[in-house]
Amino acid sequence: MPQAVTEASPDLAIALDVPNREFNPGEPITGRVYRHSHVVSPEALVSIKLYGRTKVRVDYTTNSGNSNHHHTVRSRFELLGSGPAFYNTLFRGPIHIPPDGSKPESWPFSFSLPFGPVNPQGICEGAHNKQKHSFLPIDPPDQITSHPLPFTFYTQIGSRYYNGIEAYVEYVLEAEFFEQHTSRFSSSPSAKKTATAVLPITLRPPPIPPLHPDEWRLGRFVKREGVRTQRLIPEFADSEELSFKQKTLKLFHSSKVPKYSFDVLVITPGVIQLGSVDPVPFRVAAVPRLGPADETSDEVKELERTPTVSVVSLRMVVKARTEVKVGNSRIWDRYTDKTDKVVEWSWMWKEGEEGMALPVWDRRLGSGAGAGADAGLEGEEKKEKKEKMALGEKGQFMDEKAALKEGMSPAAAGGAGGGDGGGSSSSGGGGPASGPTGEPPARDIGAELGLRFNPTELAYNGGPAKLRALLYPDFMTYNIRRTHELKWEMVLAVAKETVKVSNEQVVRFVAPWT
């Protein structure tokens, strides 16, 4: 099931009026079919057709005990059908092009792209008339024409000859040239195809207006962390090397070694717009745990200033998950659901520097240590309820809707960078962003690094990072579904000690506004 590739020669070629143009559903496709090579025929025919299809190939191997067996299953949906709207006869009659090519011929064509599939019966047959073989509803067939026309797409994950998936959506122009042919075995002339030209065209995702700040759908992740070291105390803070006794006490987690306990709060986007001029929000805050029941040592609580937490490295991985349907109930699900890395990017603070310091929690803003530890939430009941929902040793990701469902305030669920949960706003100069009343001050690392996802690269202040494959928006068609996951990993430094925080979440990519 090879994907169509461009085929052109002096015998026949296709050219668009605007070369390399990308089309939206509903737009016209215009161009010309050319022939330059010599031909003399009393009767010739030139035709062109437009077809669109979504195809899947799954290869997998089974073991019978004595040997391995390779299997290939396929799925195919014709989106446009073969009606007269997508087939044109451009020329019929005698033709003469001189051998020197001084008088080439060309024939204009035009097709109108629909907004959705126009082949309900063919699509139902492609799913074998069974809903379980299609992600989109096919019953009743009348609703098929309301489905959006999928954009051009291609992916190949794994091995084509072992366990792998190949899936694509393509739209292709194909022109044919027929000449009158007389066989020595028959006195009646017949038509003979002597040239073919192929030109794939690109259908892009329908543009989406720029996301409003409250459409970023920010999610909240909180995890309890802590460090134990003598360097938390000012008199040892600048020590390059701890003594043997100090190292021994630290190794055995002695209670004589000061400990600082804090919560890492990370505000991340649940929706990312490709090609957006606004940086992706990625806000980080460190909230001290200074309450009576917390593990922070008394000598640390008595310090005039809370220890500084710094981000020294950040790693992001975007995984694309491709699910396919092949209309075969005997194939296992694990062969039709594959995940592949599209983006793998790392940033590290320059050697010799302390890192990207997070804003220090000023305990003068609250009354006593308990107020600082609670990050401004009102009352002990709300504090305990929030801890049950959002805190814990493993951490938890919550979006705004989930938080509201659990009874949290929109400010607590929306993030530390703005009262409306906005995605692109940050403080001037890219510095720490103070949240609304009751939220800890956070630093928007995404804004400071200028993180922006494009279809072909991850742009940031240090320069673009090339992707392993094209980054498509999330979409779903009859036999293909594409979703994404974002995994991030941070290393934080406190008093020359480091802790690692990571999380993996579902993230939705949407089309650019172009």
Side-chain angles (χ1 to χ4, degrees):
M1 50 163 288
Q3 191 179 18
V5 296
T6 300
E7 297 179 18
S9 68
D11 292 341
L12 206 64
I14 304 173
L16 297 175
D17 288 342
V18 180
N20 302 318
R21 181 186 171 185
E22 296 182 349
F23 297 90
N24 291 320
E27 291 185 339
I29 301 174
T30 59
R32 303 183 77 88
V33 176
Y34 292 87
R35 181 177 176 109
H36 292 265
S37 59
H38 170 61
V39 64
V40 177
S41 177
E43 186 72 20
L45 184 143
V46 180
S47 65
I48 188 169
K49 64 180 178 181
L50 170 67
Y51 63 85
R53 58 191 181 186
T54 169
K55 300 182 71 174
V56 165
R57 169 178 172 147
V58 177
D59 292 270
Y60 65 101
T61 303
T62 58
N63 189 295
S64 61
N66 297 324
S67 60
N68 293 330
H69 300 277
H70 175 260
H71 308 271
T72 299
V73 290
R74 296 178 174 86
S75 173
R76 171 174 176 163
F77 286 84
E78 296 290 344
L79 301 173
L80 303 181
S82 57
F86 306 105
Y87 178 89
N88 285 340
T89 298
L90 304 180
F91 173 79
R92 182 190 296 270
I95 187 170
H96 177 209
I97 299 178
D100 59 4
S102 59
K103 294 183 179 180
E105 293 284 354
S106 68
W107 305 273
F109 67 85
S110 176
F111 291 105
S112 293
L113 276 170
F115 287 96
V118 294
N119 186 29
Q121 187 57 40
I123 288 173
C124 288
E125 292 174 356
H128 307 294
N129 295 302
K130 295 182 179 179
Q131 182 61 64
K132 66 179 181 180
H133 294 156
S134 173
F135 289 115
L136 294 178
I138 61 171
D139 187 25
D142 296 346
Q143 67 179 330
I144 291 177
T145 55
S146 65
H147 297 161
L149 204 62
F151 51 83
T152 302
F153 168 81
Y154 179 84
T155 188
Q156 183 174 349
I157 306 173
S159 171
R160 185 169 181 176
Y161 301 100
Y162 186 57
N163 290 333
I165 286 176
E166 183 182 20
Y168 60 84
V169 180
E170 66 176 359
Y171 299 88
V172 183
L173 290 167
E174 182 177 338
E176 296 176 326
F177 185 87
F178 294 86
E179 296 181 56
Q180 189 179 90
H181 173 71
T182 303
S183 170
R184 61 175 179 164
F185 302 105
S186 174
S187 59
S188 59
S190 61
K192 179 181 180 181
K193 183 168 65 175
T194 58
T196 301
V198 176
L199 181 65
I201 63 171
T202 300
L203 190 66
R204 62 184 178 185
I208 295 178
L211 290 178
H212 191 268
D214 59 6
E215 293 179 303
W216 282 96
R217 277 176 45 195
L218 299 180
R220 181 187 184 95
F221 174 87
V222 187
K223 188 180 181 187
R224 181 73 49 80
E225 291 291 350
V227 295
R228 189 182 291 275
T229 177
Q230 291 87 349
R231 291 193 178 96
L232 290 168
I233 306 304
E235 59 185 290
F236 299 112
D238 298 327
S239 301
E240 293 295 330
E241 189 71 21
L242 298 176
S243 66
F244 177 77
K245 180 179 180 181
Q246 289 174 325
K247 290 181 179 179
T248 303
L249 292 173
K250 183 172 175 290
L251 177 65
F252 289 99
H253 302 282
S254 171
S255 59
K256 297 181 180 180
V257 181
K259 182 178 181 180
Y260 173 48
S261 179
F262 59 96
D263 291 332
V264 180
L265 169 64
V266 184
I267 306 298
T268 55
V271 178
I272 297 176
Q273 184 168 33
L274 296 172
S276 175
V277 297
D278 295 321
V280 174
F282 192 91
R283 303 174 187 142
V284 185
V287 183
R289 304 299 304 183
L290 304 176
D294 294 317
E295 299 178 355
T296 300
S297 304
D298 291 337
E299 54 264 54
V300 177
K301 294 179 182 178
E302 294 170 358
L303 295 175
E304 294 183 2
R305 193 167 178 83
T306 305
T308 300
V309 179
S310 301
V311 180
V312 295
S313 71
L314 173 64
R315 177 173 176 263
M316 284 188 175
V317 175
V318 175
K319 297 179 180 179
R321 181 183 180 187
T322 305
E323 302 169 80
V324 299
K325 287 184 178 292
V326 291
N328 187 332
S329 58
R330 294 177 296 175
I331 188 171
W332 294 358
D333 290 341
R334 67 188 178 99
Y335 296 126
T336 59
D337 188 345
K338 298 285 185 179
T339 302
D340 191 30
K341 290 181 181 178
V342 178
V343 181
E344 188 167 8
W345 170 81
S346 298
W347 163 85
M348 185 172 294
W349 199 257
K350 296 178 181 178
E351 186 177 357
E353 298 184 6
E354 295 182 356
M356 187 178 284
L358 301 179
V360 176
W361 181 264
D362 189 348
R363 35 189 110 174
R364 291 174 299 177
L365 298 177
S367 57
D374 188 40
L377 292 180
E378 300 174 0
E380 286 298 319
E381 292 182 0
K382 184 173 287 188
K383 173 185 174 182
E384 293 176 3
K385 187 173 185 178
K386 178 183 175 183
E387 287 178 349
K388 290 179 181 179
M389 291 186 296
L391 302 182
E393 295 302 322
K394 294 183 179 180
Q396 181 179 0
F397 177 87
M398 297 191 300
D399 61 18
E400 290 185 40
K401 292 182 179 179
L404 291 171
K405 184 178 180 180
E406 294 293 340
M408 291 175 59
S409 66
D420 59 356
S424 59
S425 60
S426 62
S427 64
S434 297
T437 303
E439 285 288 356
R443 190 159 187 171
D444 195 336
I445 297 178
E448 293 189 46
L449 294 179
L451 290 178
R452 297 183 303 277
F453 285 91
N454 298 319
T456 58
E457 65 182 16
L458 171 62
Y460 68 107
N461 294 342
K466 295 297 182 182
L467 308 186
R468 296 185 176 186
L470 281 176
L471 187 54
Y472 295 95
D474 288 36
F475 80 101
M476 180 172 63
T477 186
Y478 301 101
N479 53 351
I480 305 172
R481 179 162 59 192
R482 180 84 157 191
T483 54
H484 294 86
E485 298 173 355
L486 171 65
K487 180 179 181 180
W488 54 263
E489 184 179 275
M490 279 191 304
V491 176
L492 307 176
V494 187
K496 298 184 179 181
E497 299 291 327
T498 59
V499 295
K500 186 179 292 186
V501 184
S502 63
N503 188 38
E504 189 166 353
Q505 66 188 70
V506 173
V507 63
R508 178 172 171 246
F509 284 93
V510 298
W513 172 243
T514 55

